[in-house]
Amino acid sequence: MRLRAAVIVGLFVVFTMTAMRAAAPEGSPTEYSKHFGALSKLSVAVAQAMPPEQYAFRPDPGSMSFGELMAHIASTNYAFCAGLKDSTTPSVPSATDKEGVVKFLGSSFEYCSDIIPNLTEEQLSKVHNSPDGRLPGRELLLAMYVHVAHHRGQAEVYLRDKGITPPSYMI
């Protein structure tokens, strides 16, 4: 009787795991959305951490200002996600003050959040235009995530240069 119960439980576990994999395969839009949500929250928190009077701060004359860096992340988010839809990048505002830049950054993540969970397998496999050239959808998403993390990391150094502890990493 125990053996029979163990076999039934084992089959149930195998069936459940197989069904879960089929419902959300590795690299699915759901998985990308989950990580994009964390990327978004942390990036906006970093933008909010810098005081308004420091948005023009640049650690070196050759560097973007903090505000320019945050706006660059936002405009590139729009370009990457428009590429996934094979559409042109929507017109985006030119913000320089903290309130405008934070709003612009947040809206860029919202724009992408409406696209990423609805991507099809065909869109994830197909080659699209992106700021990094023509890439398959999965690589385009990876390039966008790396781009955001790279520049957000720079922004965190800007914060530390001003004596501000950046928000904690979250996923």
Side-chain angles (χ1 to χ4, degrees), residues 88-111:
T88 58
T89 303
S91 59
V92 293
S94 177
T96 56
D97 67 308
K98 178 180 179 172
E99 184 180 333
V101 171
V102 171
K103 184 177 178 182
F104 180 36
L105 183 62
S107 68
S108 76
F109 282 108
E110 289 170 15
Y111 175 76

Side-chain angles (χ1 to χ4, degrees), residues 6-124:
V7 168
I8 291 172
V9 169
L11 288 172
F12 177 76
V13 168
V14 168
F15 174 76
T16 302
M17 291 178 70
T18 302
M20 287 172 59
R21 283 189 191 128
E26 195 170 322
S28 72
T30 302
E31 184 177 309
Y32 290 116
S33 293
K34 173 185 155 193
H35 292 284
F36 190 73
L39 190 70
S40 170
K41 287 177 189 167
L42 182 55
S43 300
V44 171
V46 166
Q48 290 172 331
M50 184 66 89
E53 64 276 6
Q54 296 299 327
Y55 258 61
F57 169 69
R58 63 182 79 233
D60 179 82
S63 300
M64 288 185 264
S65 71
F66 185 85
E68 290 168 339
L69 189 58
M70 294 289 100
H72 171 70
I73 293 170
S75 62
T76 310
N77 282 351
Y78 276 107
F80 274 116
C81 290
L84 284 166
K85 290 184 2 175
D86 295 321
S87 63
T88 58
T89 303
S91 59
V92 293
S94 177
T96 56
D97 67 308
K98 178 180 179 172
E99 184 180 333
V101 171
V102 171
K103 184 177 178 182
F104 180 36
L105 183 62
S107 68
S108 76
F109 282 108
E110 289 170 15
Y111 175 76
C112 292
S113 292
D114 288 341
I115 294 168
I116 294 170
N118 298 309
L119 292 170
T120 64
E121 181 58 38
E122 180 184 349
Q123 288 170 307
L124 290 169

Side-chain angles (χ1 to χ4, degrees), residues 119-136:
L119 292 170
T120 64
E121 181 58 38
E122 180 184 349
Q123 288 170 307
L124 290 169
S125 300
K126 181 181 169 189
V127 175
H128 306 274
N129 290 327
S130 84
D132 287 347
R134 295 197 39 84
L135 298 170

